[in-house]
Amino acid sequence: MRASQFPLFTSRETPADAEIVSHQLMLRAGLIEKIGAGLYTWQPLGLRVMRRVEQIVREEMDRIGAMEVLMPAVQPAELWEESGRWSLYGPELLRLTDRHERDFCIGPTHEEVITDYLRRELRSYRQLPLRYYQIQTKFRDEIRPRFGVMRAREFVMKDAYSFHLDQASLEATYADMHNAYTRIFERLGLHFRSVGADSGAIGGSVSEEFMVLADSGEDEIASCTACGYAANTELATSRPVAPTADTPLPAEERETPDVHTVAEQCAYLDISPMQVVKSVVVMADETPAVLFIAGDDELNLVKVAHALDAEDVRLAEPDEALAATGVPRGFIGPKGLPEGLTQRVDHRAAALVNFSSGAGRADWHWINLNWDRDLPLPPCADLRTAAAGEGCPCCDEGHLVIDRGIEVGHIFQLGTKYSESMDARVLDEDGHKQPLIMGCYGIGVSRVVAAAIEQNHDDQGIIWPAPLAPFDVAIVTIGADRSPDVAETAERLYSELRAAGYDPLLDDRDARPGVKFADIELIGIPHRLVVGARGLENGAVEYRDRTQPENEQLPVADLPQALGERMGSPASSRAG
């Protein structure tokens, strides 16, 4: 491609509304153009990068025998009503009505459509297992789209689905998908980690996320320093804490005027946060529950939802907490709560001895309370967010470290969640109808592009991993209008590189060298050749690896071999 014929819409100014590096650089480099909140046009340069991602994804899906389909973006409401998600999915589901007053939605995902398709076609277990995938535009009506394509309303996703008669078959495909995802992200040149995760609105019993590690990531990942344990902090646990061996002391109430927070409680009673059991009222599917965690712990609402078997959990408003317990917030405690009110205690809080809590009336707290002696121990559950430095739950040697990550892939063992509700069944070997067992596997194709930039950039711009780069190498001419030798050499190099299988960009624009260099660095092309009269006088061209600070002089006569040594073969970065 010649830069004089290619729209390089670069900008030196950082857009005011771009909050993170990838958003800033994608706009400045001319990869995307915003047309509305969370809506972007992918410009030719950006689309070339996204197509690189799609190519690798397709190759790895095809490698494990998945078959590509393309399902409609607009989906009838009836399918979502069958699965039960029409009312459960929430406001992120963009709903619309056609001219006949029939309800539809723009698909954020396609479990219902693929299940409907297969229940129409499958009859016998002999047709199983099956694996399908598509690469398609999705839409989720984010309440606050931000971070460019990282959290856009419209995005490109690879979603795959598998169908099985038994759990063993599902687990085999799940393992194949895990391996395929590992190869995909390795081939893309990304530093990533796979972690145990919550299944969320998709459902299923087992799921795993693939995270690109980056400081700007919205997710936190806990991992062990000694073994392979890793999980999103929504689910991560730490090594259990043994109960303290302190001698139980006599419990007593203390007047604590205007003491509402754990910090105020600790200061007034001269105790540490680990001597406090704090009470948190939540609304689980709009039913109140009281949860007890240690004073220095953070409540984890995802874990709470699992513990209470609830679809939706939120913190109760002050008036809701007062109505549920009869006590103003800040003075609620586990002793003396109304009968029938759901209660759970976190394992760490359950191990405390001589703890302090609210006394069930304004301006009073208990000290030296003990479970089972002074009050019954509620049912225990994991309710807290694991923290850095805590012991690993899977080994005795390691401790947890917390990194930030960007979710780019998620795989699920769905089980029969959709096939049961949508009556998708096949005849087994004995002629009995059995519900299909399903798996679901997603990759955020457009998000991968942004995640790669978050992980690979400097002050000058993007540094694409070679497999993602829109062009393999840039050939920059200096003074080609004044030197036929420069123009001829650049054209010859351009033709030779194309013939060798590389994808070069010939920067033949009538622009100052500084402008050309700045653009090439901004858009992140991994390799650069500079053809100028001075270098050619010495039989050389200037070479620069985008990741290196210094230039090299390469002899023109041996350029194909010298470039191959530095860039690798054209197939090495693209092929499996």
Side-chain angles (χ1 to χ4, degrees):
M1 182 65 66
R2 300 174 187 274
S4 58
Q5 300 171 357
F6 191 88
L8 291 178
F9 296 142
T10 59
S11 170
R12 300 291 168 256
E13 300 297 322
T14 299
D17 63 342
E19 301 173 74
I20 59 174
V21 169
S22 60
H23 191 194
Q24 296 167 1
L25 290 177
M26 290 183 80
L27 290 170
R28 285 188 52 210
L31 273 64
I32 57 173
E33 181 70 28
K34 180 179 178 179
I35 67 165
L39 302 173
Y40 293 88
T41 294
W42 283 79
Q43 299 191 68
L45 191 69
L47 192 58
R48 288 176 71 90
V49 177
M50 188 154 64
R51 293 291 185 249
R52 304 291 195 203
V53 180
E54 293 178 4
Q55 176 186 347
I56 290 175
V57 168
R58 279 194 170 93
E59 289 172 2
E60 294 300 335
M61 288 297 99
D62 294 346
R63 178 186 288 195
I64 63 170
M67 296 167 287
E68 187 169 8
V69 295
L70 184 61
M71 292 175 275
V74 177
Q75 306 179 19
E78 289 87 350
L79 295 181
W80 285 69
E81 288 168 344
E82 278 191 72
S83 71
R85 290 205 298 175
W86 185 254
S87 58
L88 292 176
Y89 203 89
E92 286 186 358
L93 186 66
L94 182 63
R95 305 157 203 262
L96 62 153
T97 305
D98 70 3
R99 68 178 67 191
H100 303 294
E101 300 299 317
R102 293 176 297 205
D103 290 327
F104 292 84
C105 66
I106 306 294
T109 182
H110 276 70
E111 285 79 16
E112 284 82 2
V113 175
I114 193 72
T115 302
D116 178 63
Y117 163 49
L118 267 300
R119 72 179 173 181
R120 296 170 185 269
E121 299 296 331
L122 293 180
R123 293 293 177 267
S124 167
Y125 72 97
R126 297 182 187 277
Q127 297 169 278
L128 300 175
L130 286 172
R131 305 171 181 183
Y132 290 92
Y133 77 96
Q134 66 171 349
I135 298 175
Q136 191 218 43
T137 298
K138 312 286 189 186
F139 192 96
R140 293 178 186 168
D141 198 5
E142 296 276 358
I143 188 172
R144 184 176 166 242
R146 59 194 188 279
F147 306 149
V149 301
M150 194 78 77
R151 190 167 287 281
R153 293 196 291 169
E154 184 177 275
F155 55 95
V156 176
M157 179 179 176
K158 186 283 299 181
D159 48 323
Y161 307 90
S162 63
F163 297 84
H164 314 268
L165 186 65
D166 56 54
Q167 181 66 22
S169 176
L170 169 61
E171 290 174 1
T173 290
Y174 188 85
D176 286 345
M177 284 288 180
H178 184 282
N179 294 335
Y181 275 41
T182 299
R183 289 193 299 269
I184 287 168
F185 296 121
E186 286 176 346
R187 289 182 59 189
L188 290 171
L190 300 176
H191 182 36
F192 71 96
R193 184 171 294 154
S194 60
V195 301
D198 180 63
S199 297
I202 302 298
S205 57
V206 177
S207 77
E208 199 165 351
E209 292 172 334
F210 287 76
M211 296 279 193
V212 168
L213 302 183
D215 291 339
S216 60
E218 290 187 278
D219 291 278
E220 288 190 334
I221 307 161
S223 60
C224 177
T225 57
C227 73
Y229 176 77
N232 192 306
T233 53
E234 289 180 337
L235 286 188
T237 60
S238 57
R239 193 178 304 142
V241 176
T244 60
D246 296 346
T247 301
L249 300 173
E252 59 178 291
E253 289 182 286
R254 293 275 185 89
E255 189 172 9
T256 51
D258 296 322
V259 170
H260 298 275
T261 67
V262 170
E264 292 169 346
Q265 185 178 344
C266 291
Y268 194 89
L269 297 174
D270 192 24
I271 56 177
S272 75
M274 268 305 293
Q275 292 174 274
V276 173
V277 169
K278 59 184 175 185
S279 308
V280 184
V281 182
V282 300
M283 303 300 291
D285 294 336
E286 297 308 307
T287 299
V290 185
L291 312 170
F292 308 112
I293 61 174
D296 59 349
D297 282 338
E298 178 185 346
L299 188 69
N300 186 316
L301 292 180
V302 173
K303 292 182 177 181
V304 171
H306 288 294
L308 299 178
D309 193 23
E311 292 283 345
D312 179 67
V313 174
R314 61 177 175 84
L315 296 176
E317 296 296 332
D319 59 332
E320 292 173 321
L322 179 61
T325 65
V327 181
R329 197 156 65 177
F331 303 100
I332 302 169
K335 190 173 174 64
L337 287 173
E339 290 187 14
L341 183 60
T342 298
Q343 303 176 40
R344 296 289 187 276
V345 61
D346 181 72
H347 297 292
R348 277 166 57 97
L352 295 182
V353 174
N354 297 328
F355 61 84
S356 173
S357 75
R361 52 179 173 148
D363 297 329
W364 287 83
H365 281 82
W366 282 101
I367 62 168
N368 297 331
L369 279 181
N370 286 275
W371 301 109
D372 293 329
R373 185 194 70 178
D374 303 309
L375 70 167
L377 180 68
C380 293
D382 181 13
L383 304 175
R384 60 182 291 276
T385 298
E390 296 176 355
C392 173
C394 293
C395 73
D396 295 329
E397 295 78 24
H399 64 269
L400 299 182
V401 294
I402 306 296
D403 296 302
R404 301 201 71 84
I406 300 166
E407 182 191 343
V408 291
H410 205 156
I411 58 178
F412 304 81
Q413 292 186 26
L414 292 178
T416 59
K417 173 181 171 68
Y418 295 92
S419 55
E420 290 276 12
S421 61
M422 298 182 68
D423 195 28
R425 303 175 188 275
V426 295
L427 294 176
D428 64 14
E429 194 171 1
D430 297 322
H432 301 133
K433 282 190 173 183
Q434 300 292 344
L436 292 167
I437 298 175
M438 293 176 56
C440 171
Y441 321 90
I443 288 178
V445 173
S446 50
R447 178 178 272 209
V448 164
V449 178
I453 296 173
E454 289 294 328
Q455 201 174 77
N456 301 277
H457 66 271
D458 62 13
D459 291 341
Q460 282 68 52
I462 303 167
I463 307 175
W464 290 117
L468 276 169
F471 298 97
D472 295 327
V473 56
I475 304 169
V476 179
T477 61
I478 298 178
D481 56 334
R482 301 185 303 274
S483 170
D485 194 18
V486 169
E488 180 184 343
T489 301
E491 288 287 348
R492 177 167 54 82
L493 287 175
Y494 178 63
S495 297
E496 288 177 351
L497 286 169
R498 293 184 66 191
Y502 293 102
D503 192 358
L505 176 69
L506 175 58
D507 195 344
D508 57 347
R509 295 175 295 168
D510 182 17
R512 292 180 289 108
V515 172
K516 293 184 178 184
F517 294 157
D519 280 348
I520 297 304
E521 289 190 322
L522 175 60
I523 65 179
I525 298 179
H527 306 276
R528 185 186 76 191
L529 293 172
V530 179
V531 183
R534 184 179 302 176
L536 291 182
E537 289 175 1
N538 299 316
V541 296
E542 183 181 278
Y543 167 78
R544 176 80 169 271
D545 184 316
R546 179 68 178 83
T547 64
Q548 301 301 316
E550 302 296 333
N551 300 325
E552 293 183 65
Q553 297 298 317
L554 300 183
V556 174
D558 298 325
L559 197 57
Q561 179 180 346
L563 272 179
E565 292 172 354
R566 288 156 179 78
M567 294 172 55
S569 67
S572 64
S573 64
R574 309 273 188 228

